[in-house]
Amino acid sequence: MVIFEVTGQPQTGKYSLQKVAVYRTSTAPVDIAVTNKTIVVADLMKSISIVESNKTDALTIEAKEVARHFATVWTTAVADIGSNQWLVSDAEGNLIVLRRNVDGITEEDRRRLEVTSELLLGEMVNRIRPVNIPSTSTMAVTPKAFLGTVRLARQQIKVLILIVYRSKDQSISSH
Amino acid sequence: MDGQRWLLADDYGRLFFLMLVLDSQNEVEGWKLDYLGEASRASVLIYLGAGMTFLGSHQGDSQVIRISEGSFEIIQTISNIAPILDFTIMDLGTREGENYTHEFSSGQARIVTGSGAFNDGTLRSVRSGVGMEELGVLGEMEHITDMWALQVSSQGDFSDTLVVTFVNETRVFRFSPDGEVEELDDFLGLNLAENTLLSSKLPGGRVIHVTESGVSIADTDSGMVTSKWSPDGQTVTSAACNDERLVVVTGGQVSVTLDITGDLKVLSQKDFGKDNQVSGVTIPPAPSQVCIAAFPQKAQVAVLSLQDFKEIHSQSLGVASEAFPRAILLAEILADSPSTLFVSMADGSVVTFSYDSSNHSLTGTNKLILGSEQPTFKKLPRGDGLYNVFTTSEHPSLIYASEGRIIYSAVNSEGASRVCHFNAEAYPDAIAVATSNDLKIALVDKERTTQIQTLPIEATVRRVAYSPTEKAFGIGTIKRRLEDGAEIVESQFVLADEIMFRKLDSFDLKPDELVESVIRAQMIVGKDRYDEPIYKDRFLVGTAYLDDETAESIRGRILLFEVDSNRKLSLFLEHPVKGACRALAMMDDYIVAALIKTVSHTPDN
């Protein structure tokens, strides 16, 4: 995964990309999602890792891995759903919610992403787009993301966009 | 199709007719193959008899076709938006609710998907909501406050007169059976110089008309007013009627019941006092002994007897200084169930109760937030004695019954503020829709459906990005075609217009180069005179080279496009990268690229 900067002069109209930082994933990156200075990289085989970018000085940016999910997951898509949580889908039709324990006691605790819930959706998800709906305190269930899927082997003619909810006890269910 | 005749479909969507030629011993002697044409790429073909075939497609729309001599025609198309390779959210309705059922589905979310594969590839706009189709515009009119449909001389059940009221006047339009519209200067001698509160058809060819100065009943045969009533020195503030009784509220605090079966006759009256004013009334269908009223100061609704306005049953709507009911409406929404009472609150919410007419009780309260302005209600008949309720707050919604439950769904219409049912002979089952500056006739669906708008691309739409400022989509496509028996794969970056849903420009990638990712990048292009950054949307495209011809370490490139003032693409920069550019994202002003290196690459520096 490479971070580029756009450089060039407006006068000449010549622009180019300058590489400023590199981060190597285990196998191959299949999806990325950026929130502020945090990049979540989904690897083909090794689930997700959280990379933070810092400016070490005026000219350099450093991309440092701060947490990862230590498991084999054939990831297909990832999205940031807020509160240090990420929604990940895999090639077998599973959905998992991974959480980073920022209040962990040891550095090791904070480095490991933990699975807080999982669901077998039964369809492979190609894309997850997070959704930001302000939730009122009386809503037990708030929608967090839209998922676009490939309907496997079933000839159905319905809308294939599903909505994932995160209920107050952090579990996921789908509609 | 049968032992001798076969229908073949190939991977490119081509359909062929194969006929086996048999000799005298029923042995296959040869065959004939005829090309019929192109359809969706078939996953399954089912012959239904008489030339009709169902073509089921996983990657495109399924179709029902009829095969004829040397060709076929498509009889029916069944939409299919799968597989969804990529999608983007265009806008979300900002709906919230305190309901116990999932409320989000009533929102106006619009999603644009890249669906289908190769020749069946399309860009689809998917929206869930109650559709409204405009049939015609009557004219520009501002600030319509209410409308009613009346029947004066038309046949059957058709309405032919539309009464439209404004703050200071009322206008009446007559519709002929073939759709010609004429404004009437005089209508049955009724008072049109004021705002109208209620205008309704009564049995016996009569019309009742309530304005703030009083009530009139007119006869359509004679074309004259036959009976009038005015309150003493007060203005009428609310009114509701059924076929037999009219309830009006005058000065906001005195409620009066009138018999309207013949000439107007006051039956009962009660002054509730200025501390207990009535903001709205509604009355169940005739015969009824009661009416229902809303009291904003006490934050209550109450079922009142028509004879003496004594309170039979009441329900609280919340804290007296916080909950302000405004309008109320009783409607039969659910089949075989009690009617539902809808109360519109000043804070933009709707409180509902179930009204049991046998014991006049109001039970089962439910509250839903529709917007931030007090909603208005209008009943729209749906047949068999049931109704849907059209409500408007900032946005219009439809309340209807489905599978025994009451559903609230957004209506896909811009700016509808007042409606009324208008089943005219020229426009059967239509509604009249008023926006803030015009009056239209439209058809509204009876329930929420999924509306899909399709732009055929005839290439796989692999990636979709949307720019709200450019009002356009950037899509990465992959086209596959046969040339002299060889499969050629071509990839393009296409710019498509959001509103008309059509192609604006395209950029061809190199042969054997595939688009891998497309995102919208919001970039700073300078500063304005307040030193605030100026943003411009550009499209970032990441690609992968499939061939081995380019230098070993270059496996793809990143392209940055701008949309110029003619809405054409201009290449802002291009940068080769040492891996297939699988995903892209923006981090402030930096570009983050996910590159996949092939196994046989040289270690880079």
Side-chain angles (χ1 to χ4, degrees), chain A residues 22-36:
Chain A
V22 178
Y23 166 76
R24 286 194 166 62
T25 63
S26 308
T27 315
V30 291
D31 198 7
I32 49 179
V34 173
T35 318
N36 301 323

Side-chain angles (χ1 to χ4, degrees), chain A residues 100-162:
Chain A
R100 182 171 179 220
N101 187 2
V102 284
D103 302 320
I105 313 291
T106 66
E107 176 72 30
E108 203 43 46
D109 288 343
R110 293 194 288 276
R111 262 191 60 76
R112 283 176 179 277
L113 293 175
E114 50 186 14
V115 178
T116 55
S117 60
E118 21 188 19
L119 171 71
L120 172 62
L121 195 63
E123 302 173 34
M124 192 174 89
V125 174
N126 275 327
R127 173 73 70 213
I128 305 177
R129 296 256 184 240
V131 139
N132 193 10
I133 309 242
S135 60
T136 60
S137 56
T138 50
M139 280 207 287
V141 172
T142 45
K144 284 292 168 192
F146 275 117
L147 314 166
T149 71
V150 176
R151 206 72 193 236
L152 301 170
R154 276 182 278 174
Q155 278 176 11
Q156 299 224 5
I157 311 133
K158 296 201 282 192
V159 174
L160 300 178
I161 299 174
L162 307 177

Side-chain angles (χ1 to χ4, degrees), chain A residues 1-4 15 17 24 34 36-37 53 55 126-127 129 133 136 146 148-149 151 157 159-161, chain B residues 44 58 79 82 84 86-87 89 96-97 104 111 450 572 575 582 585-588 590-591 593 595 604:
Chain A
M1 182 209 77
V2 182
I3 302 180
F4 290 99
Y15 293 93
L17 292 183
R24 286 194 166 62
V34 173
N36 301 323
K37 295 267 188 279
S53 80
K55 260 187 141 73
N126 275 327
R127 173 73 70 213
R129 296 256 184 240
I133 309 242
T136 60
F146 275 117
T149 71
R151 206 72 193 236
I157 311 133
V159 174
L160 300 178
I161 299 174
Chain B
V44 70
H58 169 70
S79 284
I84 297 176
D86 195 6
F87 70 93
I89 300 173
E96 314 165 44
F104 182 72
I111 289 172
T450 303
F572 185 74
H575 184 97
R582 184 70 172 73
M586 289 302 292
M587 184 172 68
D588 295 332
Y590 294 101
I591 297 173
L595 305 175
D604 73 341

Side-chain angles (χ1 to χ4, degrees), chain A residues 47-114:
Chain A
S47 191
I48 65 172
S49 53
I50 314 297
V51 173
E52 257 165 36
S53 80
N54 305 297
K55 260 187 141 73
T56 49
D57 56 45
L59 300 164
T60 0
I61 295 234
E62 179 196 44
K64 199 174 85 141
E65 182 188 290
V66 296
R68 70 180 311 140
H69 180 214
F70 291 91
T72 300
V73 176
W74 294 84
T75 333
T76 57
V78 67
D80 181 333
I81 54 174
S83 329
N84 286 304
Q85 297 192 75
W86 291 270
L87 183 63
V88 175
S89 63
D90 74 8
E92 288 158 337
N94 294 310
L95 284 181
I96 54 175
V97 177
L98 288 167
R99 189 170 76 104
R100 182 171 179 220
N101 187 2
V102 284
D103 302 320
I105 313 291
T106 66
E107 176 72 30
E108 203 43 46
D109 288 343
R110 293 194 288 276
R111 262 191 60 76
R112 283 176 179 277
L113 293 175
E114 50 186 14

Side-chain angles (χ1 to χ4, degrees), chain B residues 169-224:
Chain B
E169 60 165 357
T170 301
R171 293 164 72 174
V172 183
F173 298 90
R174 171 68 47 80
F175 283 67
S176 72
D178 54 8
E180 294 286 310
V181 186
E182 185 201 334
E183 182 168 356
L184 305 177
D185 296 320
D186 175 76
F187 179 57
L188 305 177
L190 295 169
N191 177 7
L192 299 181
E194 292 183 325
N195 173 254
T196 303
L197 292 158
L198 176 67
S199 190
S200 181
K201 182 174 106 165
L202 289 183
R206 300 174 303 146
V207 166
I208 187 165
H209 192 85
V210 183
T211 67
E212 19 172 75
S213 39
V215 184
S216 310
I217 294 188
D219 180 75
T220 54
D221 282 335
S222 64
M224 294 192 327

